[in-house]
Amino acid sequence: MWLILTLLLLLSLSLGHTVEPGCDDWRIDSSSADKVCCNRCKQGNRLVFDCGSDTKQLCEPCTNGTYTDTFTASFCKRCTECISPLRVKQLCTASTDTVCECAQGFRCGDQSCSFCIQECGEGEEPTEHRGCQPCPAGTFNSQIHHHCVKWSSSCPSPDQQIVAAGTAVTDIVCADLKPTTPRPDVKSDPGLMLVIAVICTCLIISAAIPLCMVMYFKKEKAVKMPPMPVETPAVEAGRRLVPEPEQCSFCFPQEERGSNSSLLLDDKPFELVV
């Protein structure tokens, strides 16, 4: 891109300005009727003679690389050169100077864009040395190439509160306060009182029924179980275990217990049970 602009500039300088020479407005000289005096040259011409016999010889076009933006100037000014970071926006002509602009990342330092300064982004601010510096603590900048401003100290509305502190690119963040829900007036609402009473009664009944059932079943179980007999140590000491008589499929009948004449057929001695 730079190469193309440079070639165009050199081509325009080599070809020269296509400007028509001469005076554009004149008057007859009061000292001589054969002469005229130029009031205004044509665009891109400089004034050579104030008065003369030929209007075309009173003014002549500016040479290559020069220009004039007035109609009565006696000399032409040199065209401005755009030096980096300046670049050519519009080429110089006989009647206009070169128009320069700044490259990307820079901006013009004055109205005529005679020099460039660094363009500062969000969170930065320009310095006196044509540079940029970060916003100091407690300030922010949310625009391109502007100075930093202080954070707001409070929210714009009394119904808001600060929910987030500011940053280098944003101010403090405010939000509406959460509305507090007023408690219902129980005394002034008999219907609500009735609902609360019914709910409480149901809760009491539902809790009492299982408790009564548990107590009832425990009582029934205690009644059905007989008490265990309590034996004294004396009875336990005087008791002797008596072996049960052997069961047999064929035995001779025995006499009643306590008889002295009862004899057994076998040789086994009998036992006396006390």
Side-chain angles (χ1 to χ4, degrees):
M1 184 66 181
W2 282 97
L3 181 59
I4 296 175
L5 292 175
T6 304
L7 293 175
L8 292 175
L9 179 59
L10 293 175
L11 181 61
S12 64
L13 293 176
S14 62
L15 293 178
H17 304 298
T18 55
V19 178
E20 183 180 0
C23 184
D24 190 36
D25 182 29
W26 65 89
R27 66 183 186 278
I28 299 175
D29 189 2
S30 58
S31 59
S32 174
D34 297 335
K35 295 181 179 181
V36 294
C37 296
C38 185
N39 295 327
R40 185 181 64 182
C41 294
K42 291 183 178 181
Q43 190 176 17
N45 284 256
R46 71 179 183 89
L47 184 63
V48 181
F49 302 105
D50 292 332
C51 300
S53 56
D54 189 357
T55 56
K56 292 182 179 182
Q57 296 179 357
L58 298 179
C59 301
E60 63 179 12
C62 291
T63 58
N64 295 339
T66 60
Y67 77 99
T68 178
D69 51 2
T70 61
F71 300 100
T72 57
S74 58
F75 62 92
C76 298
K77 295 181 287 187
R78 186 177 181 83
C79 296
T80 301
E81 295 183 7
C82 301
I83 302 174
S84 182
L86 289 170
R87 61 187 180 187
V88 177
K89 182 179 180 180
Q90 183 178 336
L91 295 174
C92 179
T93 64
S95 58
T96 59
D97 191 9
T98 308
V99 179
C100 301
E101 65 179 0
C102 295
Q104 187 175 4
F106 295 86
R107 61 168 46 208
C108 296
D110 56 8
Q111 188 174 1
S112 60
C113 201
S114 60
F115 64 94
C116 295
I117 58 176
Q118 185 179 355
E119 186 176 64
C120 302
E122 297 180 355
E124 298 177 332
E125 64 179 355
T127 64
E128 298 178 354
H129 305 289
R130 304 180 184 180
C132 300
Q133 68 179 6
C135 288
T139 63
F140 77 100
N141 175 31
S142 59
Q143 302 180 17
I144 301 297
H145 206 78
H146 277 70
H147 286 281
C148 302
V149 295
K150 291 184 178 180
W151 295 341
S152 300
S153 58
S154 60
C155 295
S157 173
D159 298 332
Q160 293 180 331
Q161 63 179 357
I162 300 175
V163 296
T167 64
V169 296
T170 60
D171 197 1
I172 58 173
V173 180
C174 296
D176 295 334
L177 294 173
K178 294 183 179 180
T180 56
T181 304
R183 293 185 177 181
D185 190 1
V186 179
K187 297 181 180 179
S188 62
D189 192 353
L192 182 60
M193 288 288 295
L194 179 61
V195 173
I196 295 175
V198 171
I199 293 175
C200 293
T201 304
C202 293
L203 292 175
I204 294 173
I205 294 174
S206 61
I209 291 176
L211 182 62
C212 293
M213 293 180 65
V214 171
M215 295 178 64
Y216 173 77
F217 283 117
K218 284 186 176 182
K219 185 177 181 181
E220 288 291 327
K221 187 176 180 180
V223 171
K224 290 181 179 180
M225 294 180 62
M228 298 295 293
V230 181
E231 296 181 354
T232 61
V235 176
E236 289 290 337
R239 177 182 298 176
R240 291 196 307 173
L241 297 177
V242 180
E244 294 183 359
E246 295 182 356
Q247 299 294 333
C248 58
S249 59
F250 59 94
C251 293
F252 293 100
Q254 297 180 3
E255 294 180 358
E256 293 180 0
R257 184 175 301 176
S259 176
N260 297 328
S261 61
S262 299
L263 299 176
L264 297 175
L265 295 179
D266 52 3
D267 295 335
K268 185 178 180 182
F270 66 91
E271 294 180 356
L272 179 62
V273 178
V274 180

